[in-house]
Structure formats: C-alpha cells, structure tokens
Amino acid sequence: MAVDMKAIVIDRYGSVQELHEMTLPVPEIKADEVLVKVAATSVNPIDWRTRTGQMRRDGQQFPLVLGWDVAGVISAVGAAVRHFQVGDAVFARSDHAGADAQYVAIKADKLAMKPGNLSFVQAAAVPLAGMTAFQVIIDQLQVVPGDRVLIQAGAGGVGLFAIQIAKAQGAYVITTASEANREMLLRLGADEVIDYHQTQITAAVHDLDAVFDTTNEIEDGLAVLKPTGMLVSIAGRPTVAQQTGQPSATHWWLHPSGKTLTQLGQLIAVHQVQVVIDSQYPFTTAGVRAAHERSESHHAHGKIVIVVDEKLAEQA
Ligand SMILES: NC(=O)c1ccc[n+]([C@@H]2O[C@H](COP(=O)([O-])OP(=O)(O)OC[C@H]3O[C@@H](n4cnc5c(N)ncnc54)[C@H](OP(=O)(O)O)[C@@H]3O)[C@@H](O)[C@H]2O)c1
C-alpha cells in the first residue's frame, strides 16, 4: 500500500497559476470511510470558485486539494463499513474536496457502485452535476408526467442531466442553449430548445408547471410559470417576496448521498440517462489548470473530466 501520493493543490486562493503538483501522505480513513484509488475526477464550478476564494468553507486549510467528484476502486475500508469492500468500482461526490489526488477518503454513505455500462471517465462526470439535477427534478420540483418544465442552460453539466431526468419522468421539456447545441439537446430528449442569444424566454413560453434555474434568472423564470408553478434555483438566492409569492421560488444546495447516486445509476444502467463529456484532461499541473479554465469559460457542453490514473481508467 502506497504511503505517499501525487495531488494537485493550491497554497492560497487565486488564479489557475496557483494550482501545482505536490506529494502528500495518502489520507487515513475513519471507521465510516473508505479509501478510493481515484481513476478520474471531474471539474465543477465549485472547484474554481473555491480556488479563487469566492466560496470559502470553515476548516479549509492549505495546501488545499480541490475536486469533489470521484470514480475509482476501493483500496481500504473502515471498521464500520458494511456494504462496500476492497476492489469495488465506485463513484461519489465527496463531502469535502480532495479528489484531485491519487487517493481520497470518502464516507461510505456517499458512495454508490459504478454502473457497469459506464467507464470510470464517464462515472466521474456524474455525481455532483447528476445528483443536483436528480434532487431538483425529482425531490424538489416533483415533476410528474405531462408537466411542462423549463430547464435553463440545457447544455451545461447540470442541465444535460436535468433534461434527461425530466424526460424520463414524462415531462414536456423546454430548455435554453446556443444554436450549436440544439441537435444534441433534441436527441437527448428536449422537446423545445430556445436559443437564448436570440429569444427571451418570457417572449417564448408561459404557464409552465416548473422552472429549474441554473443561470440566476429567477425573475424571468417566475414570469413564465403558472400561479401554482414552482421555481428552484441552484445559481441564485430568491428574495423573500419571490419565495412567498405565487408562483414561488426556492434555492437548492446539493445533498450528496449514496442513495440518490444509486437511483441515478439505475436510470443510467437502463440508458434513460446518458453522460455527455465536454473534454478530458491529464492529471498534470497544466492539465488541471486547463480544465479549470474550460469550466470558468461558462461554455462547456457537458462535463470536464481529469483522468487521474490512465491505466485504471482504461479498465472499464
Ligand atoms: N446549488 C448547487 O448545489 C449547485 C450544484 C451544481 C451547480 N451549481 C451551479 O449551477 C450553475 C450551473 O452549473 P453547471 O455545472 O451546469 O455549469 P456549466 O457546465 O459550466 O454550464 C455551462 C453551460 O451553460 C450554458 N450557458 C451559459 N450562460 C447561459 C445562459 N444565459 N442561458 C443558457 N445557457 C447558458 C453554456 O451554453 P453556451 O455555451 O451555449 O452558452 C454552457 O453549456 C453554476 O452556477 C454552478 O455553480 C449549483
């Protein structure tokens, strides 16, 4: 068992130049954790927002390893872990950052078995964005067959999952995107794609049942809902008036959960949800910097993956 590992860290908040390689001890696991040998991770906006210092959390210490999404193989299990064993291929969104490394310690209740039809690269793209989409569409908006739903930024990491999950629920799905993404989004299940560069949603749709706001356009989203409709934003904070009005708006923050990820994995296993990869980067300082820059552009179409262990990633 290795005692040291390669990680990409920051020593202070700042630009992509702060990201650099470092040798760190392999994390020790607590009784309710497993140690995962990381095959791949993916970049989400939380990565670069943390790197720049926009999102600071209590207890964050330098050097700080970023990365929340993990796909890999369990290499050790804590004494209290019952449902996973060494050698299991798993994926997860960890409670804490640390996946830009060869090994990461993760609470067992955040893990799910990797769907057999996904590679490690595809699996790494799922947890944070996919579970956010799942919890908003299924648990918060409670989309049911026949609902007319607007999903903002359909070509983004979250939007692509949300379109497919809403479609699997039997909804009529309207989404916003650039013209270049229209064909892909129709193929994945969108019924209407509105080019947000050309058309304001308030001029194109009305009387919807639900809006999933991923772009902090809450006022416009509320304007296209029917009075009993509901908006959930993951990008902005509704005002008290927006929260208490009819229609109403709420904010949602992902609750990482092995149970949610297992449910999403079942939709993936039966091909109701596909994983769209925007781009793939090597696990080097230059690779992780480039992956952050791609996410920070706000124009990724699908997920940005960092391949941490090429040999392991090729196994599935
Ligand atoms: N609260 C939570 O728990 C939570 C969880 C996950 C994410 N988030 C937040 O949710 C947001 C979306 O995350 P993400 O991972 O999906 O981001 P992302 O993958 O970086 O989104 C990029 C996509 O957004 C599209 N886009 C940009 N501006 C747009 C606009 N005005 N209208 C329609 N599409 C637009 C781009 O399409 P074009 O290239 O065509 O412009 C691109 O496809 C971020 O702010 C993130 O921080 C919150």
Side-chain angles (χ1 to χ4, degrees), residues 5 9 28 66 75 101 105 107 118 121 130 146 150 201 204 206 211 216 231 237 241 266 302:
M5 64 175 189
V9 305
E28 287 179 12
L66 299 172
S75 62
K107 279 211 166 101
L118 288 191
V121 166
L150 171 68
I201 53 158
H206 56 86
V211 171
N216 196 11
L231 177 149
R237 299 271 173 186
Q266 285 159 358

Side-chain angles (χ1 to χ4, degrees), residues 43-46 48-49 55 93 128-129 132 152-159 176-179 181 196-197 213-215 217 233-235 251-255 294-304:
V43 178
N44 294 282
I46 191 175
W48 52 264
R49 292 208 168 109
M55 286 179 86
R93 189 283 202 183
L128 192 155
T132 303
Q152 294 277 33
V158 177
T176 54
S178 296
E179 188 56 29
N181 295 315
Y196 71 92
H197 300 285
D213 173 57
T214 64
T215 52
E217 294 171 87
S233 180
I234 57 165
H251 176 82
W252 181 250
W253 186 257
L254 167 65
H255 293 214
R294 178 67 182 151
S295 179
E296 246 172 309
S297 77
H298 296 289
H299 292 298
H301 303 140
K303 295 288 302 170
I304 300 157

Side-chain angles (χ1 to χ4, degrees), residues 269-315:
V270 297
H271 306 285
Q272 281 193 309
V273 172
Q274 293 174 37
V275 179
V276 180
I277 306 289
D278 171 83
S279 46
Q280 233 173 278
Y281 295 86
F283 187 50
T284 59
T285 297
V288 177
R289 287 178 180 174
H292 273 228
E293 280 170 345
R294 178 67 182 151
S295 179
E296 246 172 309
S297 77
H298 296 289
H299 292 298
H301 303 140
K303 295 288 302 170
I304 300 157
V305 176
I306 297 166
V307 182
V308 174
D309 185 325
E310 276 183 41
K311 276 196 184 145
L312 189 56
E314 278 168 13
Q315 282 176 23

Side-chain angles (χ1 to χ4, degrees), residues 9-14 18-22 61-64:
V9 305
I10 55 169
D11 297 319
R12 57 183 179 184
Y13 299 118
E18 301 299 336
L19 291 159
H20 67 90
E21 190 178 326
M22 186 178 250
Q61 287 177 345
F62 297 110
L64 178 62

Side-chain angles (χ1 to χ4, degrees), residues 193-240:
V193 180
I194 298 169
D195 178 356
Y196 71 92
H197 300 285
Q198 304 291 338
T199 308
Q200 275 215 307
I201 53 158
T202 47
V205 289
H206 56 86
D207 289 320
L208 302 185
D209 297 288
V211 171
F212 185 3
D213 173 57
T214 64
T215 52
N216 196 11
E217 294 171 87
I218 297 171
E219 205 51 51
D220 279 1
L222 284 171
V224 302
L225 281 168
K226 60 188 188 190
T228 52
M230 185 179 174
L231 177 149
V232 173
S233 180
I234 57 165
R237 299 271 173 186
T239 62
V240 172

Side-chain angles (χ1 to χ4, degrees), residues 1 10 16 30 75 85 87 94 109-110 112 150 166 190 199 203-204 207 210 223 244-245 256 259 266 269 292 303:
M1 178 70 176
I10 55 169
V16 289
K30 299 187 182 117
S75 62
Q85 55 191 15
S94 175
D109 66 358
K110 302 297 178 283
L150 171 68
T199 308
D207 289 320
T244 53
K259 193 171 158 231
Q266 285 159 358
H292 273 228
K303 295 288 302 170

